[in-house]
Amino acid sequence: DGIKAIKVDDAPLPKSKNLDVISEYEKAESKRNASFVVVGHVDAGKSTLMGRLLLDLGVVDQRTIQKYRKEAESIGKSSFALAWVLDQRSEERSRGVTIDIATNKFDTDSTSFTILDAPGHRDFIPNMIAGASQADFAILVVDATTGAFEAGLKGQTREHSLLLRSMGVSRIIVAINKLDTVAWSQERFDEISQQVSGFLSATGFQLKNVSYVPVSGLHGDNLVNKSADPAAAWYSGNTLIEELESSEPMARALTKPLRMTISEVFRSSQSPLTISGRIEAGSLQAGDAVLVQPSGEKAYIKSLELDAEPVDWAVAGQNVVIHLSNIDPIHVRVGDIICDPKQPIACIDTFTVKVLAFDILMPMQVDVHRGRLHAAGQITEIPALLDKVRGTVLKKKPKIVKPGSVARIVVRMGNKVPLEVGQRVVLRSGGDTVAAGLLE
Ligand code: GDP
């Protein structure tokens, strides 16, 4: 004994400029910020589409693409070059340690966009949950190739749509992709749009928030530039980028108490304890005291960064890097919540949640996910089966809940976790998403 393994940071408290952050934010001539996820069945063409979009917007230069094309050709997969734009960039980022939900940014005249990555493989659902819980809207990519759309609908297309809905994303742009493979058939486009409308409205999306764009990610048709193919002349609607620009981001909860889930904890040149994440509600500034939950320990904000630039303050909706002081790093973990010490989030071990069931629910073990936060728990009670639209009670204490039904359930976790009313959680079991919904 006698040796302290970890030294608590007991530096002098950082100074605050005591700024009125909300009015600073209103004064700052900031561009509109919007973030979106890209979802869809594996091989629907998500990576290719986003790579091509970035190329056509001039975010990636021709030289880089040429380099990828050469490398891709050398392994006999020339079509992979576009997809590598996203993959390569995320690899670079993971070495440079920024934010763990791999993000790609691009700007148009009106908007600064963030692409939240969401790979389509099964194992990536928890990643997608983290992404969707931060997204203003989604691009759902479906493959128009004969047979592929139908397979996708049975596969991840449906699960992803359910997840988007239960994570609170309401605006969807459906990119009906690979139309080059069906000679730009308007009939095929109409047929797929109708089927997608059918299942999106059954999932609870309002169709006025859903739009459809016929595209070819591989050839760059209707992404930034209108298709030059005469066979595509029947389409006179918006390009994908026009749809993105005309989508309204969700209202930011600026005046609510501070809430931010830590998505990464690391050492940086500025500080031995640096965290990153997206501010979900409220605002913060250098010098602020914050509370870390569930540890209940206080820390101070030494300094902060937005897009690798030092700044004095940040608000809800922004992804920030924060250098903390005056706290022992053992109290700070990925998935923890940074909050306002005067209005902290409580740590609870039991909660009631109104869920949409994706699978059969009954008293059973479940993993609770909220962004980066995971906890083991179990469904202990099912107080009611609810009407999907009105939320009224259909049946009290059902024994089970069938897939596609809405129910009120009680979940108990093995330990106390920071959670509060109004937050969205996803329940998984054996690697599958079984339900998602809103805490009551
Ligand atoms: P992801 O799994 O959804 O990210 O799909 P990828 O972007 O990796 O694409 C899967 C395959 O579809 C690749 O071989 C692509 O070259 C091909 N592909 C993607 N978009 C198109 C398209 O618009 N037209 C055609 N013909 N092929 C495409």
Side-chain angles (χ1 to χ4, degrees):
D1 285 72
I3 300 163
K4 246 189 173 173
I6 299 162
K7 193 176 174 296
V8 178
D9 179 353
D10 51 8
L13 298 186
K15 287 214 167 60
S16 174
K17 289 189 184 167
N18 289 317
L19 299 170
D20 177 349
V21 174
I22 306 284
S23 65
E24 292 292 321
Y25 171 73
E26 280 162 359
K27 268 193 306 204
E29 205 184 74
S30 63
K31 241 188 199 177
R32 197 178 78 132
N33 278 288
S35 55
F36 62 90
V37 282
V38 185
V39 302
H41 197 67
V42 60
D43 284 344
K46 298 176 293 296
S47 323
T48 305
L49 183 100
M50 294 321 295
R52 181 72 199 215
L53 185 77
L54 295 181
L55 174 70
D56 290 355
L57 285 166
V59 180
V60 192
D61 57 65
Q62 280 289 353
R63 278 230 319 270
T64 310
I65 285 287
Q66 283 308 340
K67 189 180 127 229
Y68 292 160
R69 283 220 166 101
K70 264 211 189 112
E71 286 171 23
E73 271 161 21
S74 72
I75 59 159
K77 305 250 183 208
S78 55
S79 69
F80 282 16
L82 284 169
W84 283 359
V85 172
L86 283 188
D87 296 349
Q88 222 78 0
R89 285 160 57 112
S90 54
E91 211 181 280
E92 276 169 21
R93 269 189 313 269
S94 61
R95 270 184 260 121
V97 192
T98 45
I99 349 178
D100 76 334
I101 299 168
T103 53
N104 275 287
K105 283 181 179 273
F106 66 90
D107 275 47
T108 61
D109 289 344
S110 70
T111 312
S112 182
F113 286 104
T114 300
I115 310 169
L116 301 157
D117 274 2
H121 306 97
R122 278 185 90 74
D123 303 351
F124 286 104
I125 294 282
N127 248 344
M128 179 188 155
I129 294 165
S133 62
Q134 305 186 356
D136 292 306
F137 30 86
I139 297 180
L140 169 62
V141 182
V142 300
D143 183 343
T145 311
T146 315
F149 166 68
E150 289 73 11
L153 198 52
K154 290 200 193 83
Q156 290 135 351
T157 309
R158 190 180 295 274
E159 190 185 16
H160 288 184
S161 309
L162 282 165
L163 268 174
L164 289 175
R165 174 79 188 109
S166 41
M167 296 320 290
V169 174
S170 58
R171 162 92 176 116
I172 298 191
I173 302 165
V174 185
I176 301 185
N177 194 26
K178 306 195 194 181
L179 273 178
D180 57 292
T181 65
V182 291
W184 287 91
S185 160
Q186 182 174 10
E187 216 172 293
R188 183 71 177 152
F189 173 76
D190 289 342
E191 181 197 341
I192 294 178
S193 310
Q194 261 169 33
Q195 287 197 43
V196 174
S197 290
F199 87 74
L200 288 181
S201 68
T203 313
F205 286 96
Q206 287 187 283
L207 292 183
K208 67 173 168 57
N209 297 327
V210 182
S211 49
Y212 303 86
V213 187
V215 301
S216 166
L218 191 60
H219 302 296
D221 294 26
N222 294 339
L223 302 183
V224 176
N225 306 309
K226 280 231 182 313
S227 175
D229 192 327
W234 54 266
Y235 181 71
S236 57
N238 281 341
T239 57
L240 188 70
I241 196 73
E242 285 167 345
E243 282 295 329
L244 282 171
E245 288 213 275
S246 61
S247 301
E248 271 308 307
M250 290 196 227
R252 312 273 180 234
L254 300 184
T255 55
K256 295 220 174 116
L258 173 69
R259 300 290 186 259
M260 172 181 140
T261 305
I262 300 177
S263 59
E264 194 152 25
V265 180
F266 53 100
R267 283 173 169 273
S268 66
S269 53
Q270 279 97 324
S271 169
L273 181 56
T274 298
I275 60 172
S276 68
R278 178 179 187 264
I279 304 175
E280 285 142 39
S283 62
L284 50 80
Q285 62 181 305
D288 275 358
V290 292
L291 194 78
V292 183
Q293 285 287 52
S295 71
E297 295 286 326
K298 214 183 215 186
Y300 285 83
I301 300 178
K302 204 160 70 179
S303 58
L304 63 151
E305 296 169 32
L306 275 180
D307 298 329
E309 294 289 328
V311 290
D312 288 329
W313 51 267
V315 298
Q318 293 176 321
N319 284 298
V320 286
V321 169
I322 299 176
H323 307 295
L324 289 177
S325 69
N326 310 88
I327 186 168
D328 189 324
I330 59 165
H331 299 305
V332 183
R333 294 165 312 178
V334 167
D336 286 359
I337 293 193
I338 296 288
C339 61
D340 178 353
K342 290 186 214 91
Q343 291 167 283
I345 185 169
C347 294
I348 55 174
D349 61 6
T350 304
F351 61 88
T352 303
V353 58
K354 185 175 147 185
V355 293
L356 173 64
F358 301 171
D359 214 324
I360 293 181
L361 303 181
M362 57 186 107
M364 61 198 249
Q365 300 293 124
V366 285
D367 292 320
V368 180
H369 290 251
R370 196 197 74 85
R372 294 278 132 191
L373 182 149
H374 315 278
Q378 91 191 85
I379 299 176
T380 53
E381 266 179 80
I382 308 175
L385 195 67
L386 305 171
D387 181 279
K388 235 193 222 175
V389 182
R390 281 164 297 182
T392 48
V393 176
L394 293 177
K395 186 177 177 193
K396 282 191 178 162
K397 302 199 174 205
K399 289 221 167 56
I400 63 156
V401 182
K402 289 195 191 136
S405 303
V406 174
R408 176 172 292 126
I409 62 171
V410 177
V411 177
R412 190 159 63 221
M413 296 170 293
N415 43 341
K416 292 202 168 193
V417 163
L419 270 180
E420 63 191 348
V421 170
Q423 288 183 329
R424 290 174 189 276
V425 294
V426 170
L427 305 180
R428 307 193 82 219
S429 170
D432 285 318
T433 306
V434 294
L438 200 64
L439 252 74
E440 294 190 315

